[in-house]
Amino acid sequence: MSRETIVNAVLFALLIAVPLGALVADEPFLITLATRAVILALAAVGLNIALGIGGLVSLGHAAFFGIGGYAMGILAFHAQSYTPLFEWPFVIEGTKLMPIIWLVAICGGALAAFVIGLLSLRTTGVYFIMITLAFGQMFYFFAISWPAYGGEDGLSIYVRNSFPGLNTLVPIQFYAICFAILCAVLWFNARLARAPFGLALNAARQVPHRVEAIGLDPVRLKLVALVISGAVTGLAGALFADLNRFVSPTMFSWQMSGELMVFIILGGTGRLFGPVAGAMLFVLLEYLLGGISDYWLAFLGALLLLVVLFGRGGLVGIVAGEARNHD
């Protein structure tokens, strides 16, 4: 068993032990914190599919995150106000059913990633970074100027959406849903990295001209990776909005994209549990230092600088060694 497998197992055990310990201690707030960490980890895992395997440094993933959030917010808003989304050419009602909301969020994130990818993948390097950032800001300013759904003030949802057979108002049950989704996406990510598509995508990141020489299109490979990444990030956005029962344009902001990037760099780019480690550390520092100082992000910045300078494999790489392993 490799050291990285052991590290992954420890992180996985923490994701189970912390909420269960909080449940026993009757600390629902800690369960909510753990849920926040899991959802942010899910969004970062989505970005890591594009970044870690495909080498796509995107500062526009907040667009997919926000689309997922607004998919949840709009559907739930119309359900709680008993008004249809559309009445012509046919009636479309809102819904509080999570699986339907997730499907809309996944499709919305994937579609946006496809359109953005078609345009942004014409560029490379810093130009790709800037064009994805520009798309994210376009969605941000559109949401601000959308008064039907709160505009700059955002949109409050007064009910927690439902999942068949569970009471999602109980923190541990909502956590279980988010944790199960994270596990499924991590499993998918591990399989994807070893699949022929994942190997070809990794090759397209490193030696695109050789991939072209064997008849594969590197741009098409990266586009598919971006679509998958957008779908996962959109799903995370829907869960995040459901957790807070609130959606606002800040979900589209470039700061959100930056945070997802920070999670991956802290935990380890391309590592299976790297985004999970980064998100867990971020939420922990936010909880421990946020009440001490309004400038706690300065401590996070210093830690990020140390990781970049002395631990390029991220926290997982520091503990597990240099070799990348998706086990």
Side-chain angles (χ1 to χ4, degrees):
M1 183 181 292
S2 68
R3 282 193 293 172
E4 184 161 345
T5 303
I6 296 173
V7 172
N8 293 348
V10 170
L11 292 172
F12 184 82
L14 284 174
L15 290 175
I16 297 175
V18 170
L20 288 181
L23 179 65
V24 172
D26 194 23
E27 294 285 350
F29 176 68
L30 294 181
I31 300 176
T32 301
L33 277 183
T35 307
R36 174 179 167 83
V38 165
I39 295 172
L40 291 176
L42 177 64
V45 169
L47 174 58
N48 202 35
I49 292 173
L51 174 62
I53 305 177
L56 298 173
V57 183
S58 168
L59 276 179
H61 261 61
F64 316 135
F65 192 73
I67 285 172
Y70 269 85
M72 172 271 172
I74 292 171
L75 289 171
F77 170 77
H78 283 278
Q80 74 180 15
S81 62
Y82 301 101
T83 57
L85 277 81
F86 301 104
E87 295 182 346
W88 189 91
F90 45 82
V91 176
I92 299 180
E93 302 283 352
T95 181
K96 300 176 185 176
L97 195 59
M98 283 185 177
I100 297 177
I101 292 172
W102 297 344
L103 180 60
V104 174
I106 289 170
C107 292
L111 179 61
F114 178 74
V115 174
I116 292 173
L118 283 178
L119 299 173
S120 60
L121 287 173
R122 297 170 182 263
T123 63
T124 57
V126 67
Y127 301 103
F128 177 83
I129 297 173
M130 295 309 297
I131 197 171
T132 55
L133 174 61
F135 274 113
Q137 290 302 101
M138 285 171 57
F139 279 99
Y140 172 74
F141 287 110
F142 175 79
I144 284 179
S145 60
W146 200 5
Y149 298 109
E152 191 172 3
D153 296 328
L155 182 65
S156 295
I157 305 300
Y158 302 109
V159 295
R160 173 66 55 77
N161 293 308
S162 60
F163 188 88
L166 295 177
N167 181 1
T168 56
L169 286 172
V170 178
I172 194 65
Q173 295 193 31
F174 186 65
Y175 176 85
I177 293 172
C178 299
F179 178 67
I181 292 174
L182 176 63
C183 291
V185 172
L186 286 171
W187 175 85
F188 173 78
N189 191 8
R191 294 295 299 269
L192 183 69
R194 290 187 175 85
F197 170 78
L199 297 175
L201 179 62
N202 192 33
R205 173 177 63 87
Q206 300 182 64
V207 282
H209 58 281
R210 293 188 179 181
V211 172
E212 285 183 304
I214 61 172
L216 297 176
D217 185 353
V219 174
R220 184 173 297 177
L221 291 169
K222 292 179 180 180
L223 178 60
V224 174
L226 191 62
V227 169
I228 296 172
S229 178
V232 173
T233 309
L235 174 58
L239 291 171
F240 189 77
D242 220 342
L243 172 67
N244 298 318
R245 283 183 271 183
F246 179 74
V247 61
S248 75
T250 57
M251 293 185 70
F252 287 113
S253 68
W254 66 268
Q255 290 94 333
M256 188 72 242
S257 294
E259 285 182 7
L260 299 181
M261 192 78 69
V262 166
F263 300 159
I264 296 174
I265 296 172
L266 276 178
T269 305
R271 308 265 181 172
L272 180 61
F273 271 74
V276 178
M280 291 171 66
L281 180 62
F282 178 86
V283 172
L284 179 63
L285 291 177
E286 183 181 44
Y287 173 63
L288 295 178
L289 301 179
I292 299 175
S293 171
D294 292 335
Y295 306 102
W296 70 273
L297 285 172
F299 298 99
L300 179 66
L303 177 61
L304 180 63
L305 182 63
L306 291 174
V307 169
V308 170
L309 292 176
F310 304 109
R312 297 186 62 185
L315 297 176
V316 174
I318 292 172
V319 177
E322 290 299 321
R324 290 184 180 179
N325 190 327
H326 291 277
D327 290 341

